[in-house]
Amino acid sequence: MKKTVVNQILFFWVCLITFSALNAQTAIPARVSSPIPVKITDSGRLYSTFSLDEKNQFHDEIKKQTGAKVFADILLYSEEGAWPSDISTLDGRNTNRASIGRYKANLVAIFDKDYAILEIPVAGNEGMPSGMRPQKHAIYFVIGKDGVEPTGATYAAASPSGLKKVRIVDSGQLYSTYDIQAETPWHDAIKKVVGENGFQDVVTYSNEKNWPVGISNLDNWRENKLKMNDYTVYLLVGNLDGKVILYCPAGENQYMPSDLKPSRDIYFVMGLNGIEGDGISQSNPSADDTEVEDTNGKDVRMAQIDNPMELYSTFEIEENENAMEVYQEIFGDEYRDRAIELSTEEGWPSGISTFSARDLVREEFKDYNVYYLGEFMATEPVAILYVALDENMHMPENMQPLDEDGFILLFKKSAVTIGESIGVEEITEKPSADNFETQLNTLLEGLKDDFKNIKGNQIVEKEGGLASLSKEYQSRIVLDGSEKTVIRENLGFNYSAQAYYGSFRSKEEAMDIYHQLVQKVEKASLTCCSFVQDEQDLENIITTSWIPFDLSGKMDTRLKDIVMEVRVIKLLGIDDNFKSFDEYSVSLSVYHQK
């Protein structure tokens, strides 16, 4: 195969779904780690006598997603003989097709790629006709995957990151029908955490009518008010005039009693005195109070763009003495010129490289994941914000960084909220590896200290041109089967590990390697934490991703925001005769999703 001309590779991928699009329709995943609320859109795809108990080849695949107990129930209650009378025959189902679509259903498993298993629970279906209503136990449907659609966000997709866990200590402080929509001063604070679409999600699911039946009205709440203290909740926003908003993720509350178990993420408005936990204060928190510990010689913090109109697109850095001093201090001789190049619209992706383009996507600037690197003085303080590639692939294609260097945005400091600093801690044991499972565990463990004990010699760049803002190092851990495994460093604080499994002219060949790699990850016993898994199958990128799912609360906090991904990306290659060709690259990466 001819070697790809790297500087002519064009990336064509579609944006990934993020938590800020919670109300948007999401795709059915390739595998289910927690129940997902769905709607039956085509009851003609229902299998009434699938004989799942005889199809042993699917049993392990399903049990991995449901557990043995639920799988046993599926075998008992997934055929028409175990269903309510009005849907136990073909004639009955034909008569009630429209009503079947009104079942409250949860997707609990996907098998053989195209088949879904739905749970039809007792709770939530009390309003169905008596001849269709599950009675003492849930029933299950085997249905073609294309016969259902998600009704809400998956647990993994819905979780805002970086929230502090708190405890409910007085459920009497709960406001069950609070009108957040009417509290205009609250809106910006909420949107800053969950985005524009996520805001409407909070409004809708902070009302008792959208909560589990056990707390859906005053009488039921009275019976369960002490059990409410057992919910796992996070502080979403507070303090708002003596009140707070709590985030109650469905995926972390599946241990609750059935009438209190959320089928999707919900929210609580509570009086401030009804909760306890770190970060709870009697006054509004301010980002300016954050203490910064500088572990890398740089003041690196997460930040949030609040006012996209305050962007400098053509700031003449070289004409500002203070700006040049700050850039020199942050980037040094090696990176400074490249950083300057990436700090104006000429170094930005096409979707924001002109005023007219930016004017179409102003609000979407708020969805960038950015790092505050420092500031310099112009007519007022200017914040230097770094936009990394790996952490912004959720953005629209034409707003994503062009390569691993990312790019830099300059904003008035007053238009940005600056968060906590990013620290580095050491691991106590040296890594060792002799097989894929051990190697992958070592890489995940290495994330705790930015791969300090795994990072080998730097891979020297070719001479000529400006220095890259990213460095690559040889990895002492080379994942089994990979052509190479590297540690990538962006600006000295953002690290990832990436294993390359080859580039292929044939998509089929690439997909074979991709599926083999996904299976290896699925079979690996990962010691750091439990994961939820999802697959996105888009036009030019296919990704299976895993993120931590911590029910116990014992997971190392340094790993709470990690992501593992296996990807196939369609690239445009150029051969030695300058003819283009499609090429498919397969890789596995682990990194922090800040």
Side-chain angles (χ1 to χ4, degrees):
M1 181 181 68
K2 306 286 187 183
K3 185 176 181 181
T4 302
V5 179
V6 175
N7 62 357
Q8 296 188 46
I9 290 178
L10 302 177
F11 290 81
F12 296 101
W13 54 62
V14 184
C15 68
L16 299 178
I17 296 168
T18 63
F19 80 87
S20 63
L22 296 182
N23 283 337
Q25 188 183 72
T26 56
I28 293 292
R31 182 185 171 105
V32 179
S33 300
S34 299
I36 299 172
V38 293
K39 175 181 176 61
I40 299 172
T41 56
D42 184 1
S43 61
R45 299 287 287 122
L46 190 65
Y47 293 86
S48 59
T49 55
F50 192 84
S51 301
L52 187 59
D53 57 339
E54 298 174 7
K55 296 180 170 61
N56 297 332
Q57 68 270 33
F58 302 135
H59 290 188
D60 287 342
E61 184 180 4
I62 297 170
K63 277 192 283 190
K64 285 181 180 179
Q65 299 170 73
T66 65
K69 184 178 184 302
V70 172
F71 177 71
D73 288 341
I74 291 171
L75 294 182
L76 290 173
Y77 305 120
S78 61
E79 297 198 2
E80 64 181 20
W83 294 345
S85 58
D86 284 3
I87 59 169
S88 63
T89 65
L90 178 60
D91 288 342
R93 288 189 295 277
N94 286 338
T95 301
N96 293 286
R97 290 292 177 193
S99 295
I100 291 174
R102 292 197 289 270
Y103 272 121
K104 177 180 179 180
N106 297 314
L107 175 68
V108 295
I110 295 289
F111 66 97
D112 200 29
K113 295 184 180 179
D114 295 323
Y115 298 94
I117 298 178
L118 308 185
E119 175 200 33
I120 311 298
V122 175
N125 285 296
E126 299 91 338
M128 294 294 289
S130 59
M132 296 182 66
R133 192 183 308 152
Q135 298 296 330
K136 297 181 181 179
H137 52 73
I139 59 173
Y140 296 84
F141 291 158
V142 177
I143 189 170
K145 192 170 73 169
D146 55 353
V148 298
E149 291 179 356
T151 60
T154 65
Y155 299 161
S159 303
S161 61
L163 302 183
K164 294 181 178 179
K165 183 179 286 188
V166 296
R167 297 178 301 281
I168 298 174
V169 294
D170 181 4
S171 63
Q173 296 279 325
L174 177 69
Y175 294 83
S176 60
T177 57
Y178 202 91
D179 188 2
I180 293 177
Q181 194 74 57
E183 290 287 355
T184 305
W186 291 19
H187 293 188
D188 286 345
I190 298 170
K191 291 176 184 178
K192 189 176 293 185
V193 180
V194 299
E196 189 72 35
N197 291 333
F199 169 75
Q200 193 55 50
D201 204 63
V202 175
V203 171
T204 301
Y205 291 97
S206 59
N207 190 293
E208 64 178 19
K209 67 182 181 181
N210 295 310
W211 292 345
V213 64
I215 52 173
S216 62
N217 57 53
L218 182 60
D219 290 338
N220 290 354
W221 170 80
R222 285 195 181 106
E223 293 180 11
N224 292 297
K225 62 181 181 179
L226 292 180
K227 293 179 183 177
M228 273 204 72
N229 295 357
D230 296 332
Y231 276 119
T232 296
V233 294
Y234 295 84
L235 180 65
L236 189 78
V237 183
N239 165 10
L240 300 169
D241 302 320
K243 303 177 187 67
V244 297
I245 300 177
L246 305 181
Y247 166 60
C248 181
E252 294 188 41
N253 283 283
Q254 295 303 295
Y255 57 85
M256 293 293 285
S258 59
D259 62 340
L260 296 176
K261 186 186 301 182
S263 62
R264 55 106 62 236
D265 300 344
I266 58 176
Y267 305 87
F268 299 135
V269 178
M270 296 199 75
L272 184 60
N273 295 327
I275 61 172
E276 289 181 351
D278 296 334
I280 307 303
S281 66
Q282 298 301 317
S283 61
N284 288 317
S286 169
D288 293 335
D289 296 332
T290 304
E291 294 185 6
V292 177
E293 179 183 355
D294 184 3
T295 60
N296 286 304
K298 302 186 184 74
D299 184 13
V300 178
R301 314 189 212 179
M302 291 303 299
Q304 169 69 44
I305 298 169
D306 299 325
N307 185 358
M309 295 300 296
E310 301 294 350
L311 173 68
Y312 294 95
S313 60
T314 57
F315 195 98
E316 295 182 351
I317 295 169
E318 293 170 308
E319 301 300 318
N320 183 300
E321 184 177 348
N322 182 235
M324 287 298 287
E325 290 175 354
V326 172
Y327 267 63
Q328 180 67 33
E329 181 180 348
I330 294 173
F331 302 107
D333 292 333
E334 186 177 5
Y335 296 144
R336 188 194 65 184
D337 290 344
R338 177 63 172 154
I340 292 172
E341 183 183 73
L342 294 172
S343 297
T344 67
E345 61 183 19
E346 292 182 358
W348 298 345
S350 62
I352 61 171
S353 63
T354 65
F355 179 84
S356 57
R358 290 190 294 275
D359 214 31
L360 296 174
V361 294
R362 292 289 181 189
E363 285 302 303
E364 294 184 54
F365 271 83
K366 296 179 180 179
D367 294 330
Y368 273 124
N369 292 322
V370 296
Y371 293 97
Y372 166 86
L373 303 184
E375 62 190 69
F376 60 86
M377 180 58 69
T379 55
E380 61 181 278
V382 177
I384 304 169
L385 306 181
Y386 175 60
V387 185
L389 172 63
D390 283 346
E391 299 180 20
N392 286 282
M393 291 185 67
H394 63 279
M395 296 297 290
E397 175 188 2
N398 63 354
M399 294 180 71
Q400 296 173 12
L402 300 174
D403 55 34
E404 282 83 2
D405 280 0
F407 59 90
I408 293 169
L409 298 173
L410 301 179
F411 273 91
K412 289 182 180 179
K413 187 180 178 184
S414 59
V416 177
T417 297
I418 300 169
E420 297 180 356
S421 64
I422 301 166
V424 177
E425 299 183 47
E426 294 189 6
I427 57 176
T428 56
E429 296 181 2
K430 277 199 165 185
S432 61
D434 53 11
N435 56 54
F436 180 85
E437 181 178 297
T438 305
Q439 294 160 356
L440 186 56
N441 275 309
T442 303
L443 285 180
L444 290 169
E445 190 73 11
L447 277 169
K448 293 180 181 178
D449 75 338
D450 295 332
F451 306 105
K452 178 180 177 182
N453 291 338
I454 298 173
K455 188 169 61 175
N457 296 327
Q458 183 177 352
I459 300 172
V460 180
E461 300 173 348
K462 293 181 179 179
E463 295 183 1
L466 293 169
S468 170
L469 290 184
S470 63
K471 294 180 180 179
E472 283 192 351
Y473 298 86
Q474 294 174 348
S475 171
R476 294 192 176 98
I477 303 299
V478 178
L479 281 183
D480 183 43
S482 67
E483 293 182 352
K484 66 174 181 176
T485 303
V486 300
I487 306 299
R488 181 173 294 119
E489 170 192 334
N490 289 317
L491 296 178
F493 67 88
N494 180 29
Y495 292 82
S496 62
Q498 190 147 10
Y500 296 92
Y501 283 80
S503 296
F504 307 90
R505 293 284 188 97
S506 163
K507 182 177 180 180
E508 290 72 21
E509 187 178 359
M511 290 305 298
D512 284 344
I513 301 298
Y514 168 83
H515 288 305
Q516 292 173 26
L517 190 52
V518 169
Q519 289 178 3
K520 290 176 74 171
V521 176
E522 289 174 342
K523 292 177 181 179
S525 177
L526 302 177
T527 57
C528 69
C529 38
S530 299
F531 289 88
V532 292
Q533 177 182 342
D534 195 13
E535 182 177 74
Q536 295 292 333
D537 187 350
L538 304 175
E539 183 177 357
N540 293 301
I541 177 170
I542 301 172
T543 304
T544 296
S545 57
W546 294 263
I547 65 172
F549 180 57
D550 182 28
L551 287 176
S552 67
K554 298 178 180 179
M555 186 179 73
D556 192 311
T557 56
R558 293 172 292 178
L559 296 175
K560 66 181 177 64
D561 57 1
I562 63 174
V563 179
M564 281 192 302
E565 288 183 340
V566 176
R567 293 178 183 165
V568 175
I569 300 178
K570 180 182 177 181
L571 307 174
L572 182 65
I574 308 293
D575 65 20
D576 290 344
N577 297 317
F578 298 100
K579 293 183 178 180
S580 64
F581 58 88
D582 289 339
E583 187 173 49
Y584 299 88
S585 175
V586 184
S587 63
L588 181 152
S589 58
V590 296
Y591 59 91
H592 281 284
Q593 180 69 57
K594 298 292 185 183

